[in-house]
Amino acid sequence: DFALSITRALHRDHQPTLALLERLEQGLNRFGPKTPPAHDDAAFRALLSDLKSVLEAEIKGHYAFEEAHLFPLFAAEIDPGISEMLAAEHEIIRPLAAALVESAGQALADGFDQATWAKFFADGQELVEREVFHIQKETMGFLPALEQIIDENDDAALTMAYAESGA
């Protein structure tokens, strides 16, 4: 339970991402690395559609907000190394997520062949591993630490900025 509006909002926004990553992992495991899903598989098509919308919001809005507003504050008040580590993880996850979003769009239009499925499968597994671990770090360390350095006025301003960011 987080006391600040901004940390509650960030934590709340992690939940659909974690749920999506769980669905992605289950979907990948259902087919394995060599057997692409049928183009008309409704459940997998829904997963691809959700993947596009959730990942786009995560890598464009959520990451950008943290990098612009929270990482500098955290670096100045607590530890620049942690902010640098989280930002470096964003830099690894961002192109991976973008590739999955692009692959999901192409698959929705044309389906997967062996090669596109193999790439999607590998990228999907890597994204699940990296993003889940990243969110866990934020939930267990970053967000609680923010609660120690953000006051009520800053909380209101950050919450407003987060809402306006579209994240």
Side-chain angles (χ1 to χ4, degrees), residues 2-16 62 65 143 147 155 158-160 162-163 167:
F2 293 105
L4 298 173
S5 295
I6 189 60
T7 51
R8 282 194 311 269
L10 292 164
H11 179 66
R12 180 188 62 239
D13 289 350
H14 284 156
Q15 300 315 301
H62 188 95
F65 177 81
L143 296 179
E147 294 221 319
D155 182 34
L158 287 166
T159 302
M160 179 66 73
Y162 188 58

Side-chain angles (χ1 to χ4, degrees), residues 24-117:
L24 177 59
E25 185 174 42
Q26 290 170 351
L28 295 172
N29 290 336
R30 183 169 67 130
F31 292 101
K34 297 182 181 181
T35 308
H39 188 244
D40 64 351
D41 183 313
F44 206 83
R45 290 181 64 76
L47 172 62
L48 293 174
S49 180
D50 293 346
L51 185 74
K52 286 182 57 169
S53 62
V54 171
L55 288 182
E56 285 176 340
E58 180 78 6
I59 62 176
K60 289 181 182 172
H62 188 95
Y63 279 17
F65 177 81
E66 288 178 338
E67 291 165 0
H69 297 278
L70 300 178
F71 292 173
L73 175 65
F74 194 93
E77 296 289 329
I78 296 180
D79 184 354
I82 292 172
S83 293
E84 290 168 7
M85 175 195 63
L86 293 171
E89 289 177 1
H90 283 182
E91 292 306 311
I92 293 167
I93 294 167
R94 188 178 277 119
L96 185 59
L100 279 168
V101 166
E102 183 178 335
S103 294
Q106 290 174 345
L108 284 167
D110 304 323
F112 288 106
D113 60 25
Q114 286 297 128
T116 58
W117 174 249

Side-chain angles (χ1 to χ4, degrees), residues 95-158:
L96 185 59
L100 279 168
V101 166
E102 183 178 335
S103 294
Q106 290 174 345
L108 284 167
D110 304 323
F112 288 106
D113 60 25
Q114 286 297 128
T116 58
W117 174 249
K119 174 84 168 112
F120 183 86
F121 185 90
D123 287 350
Q125 285 191 311
E126 183 177 354
L127 178 76
V128 167
E129 180 180 320
R130 289 185 182 277
E131 183 70 2
V132 167
F133 191 46
H134 179 77
I135 290 172
Q136 288 171 340
K137 286 179 201 174
E138 287 191 356
T139 300
M140 293 185 299
F142 181 67
L143 296 179
L146 285 174
E147 294 221 319
Q148 303 305 309
I149 61 171
I150 296 174
D151 65 25
E152 288 181 18
N153 291 332
D154 290 339
D155 182 34
L158 287 166

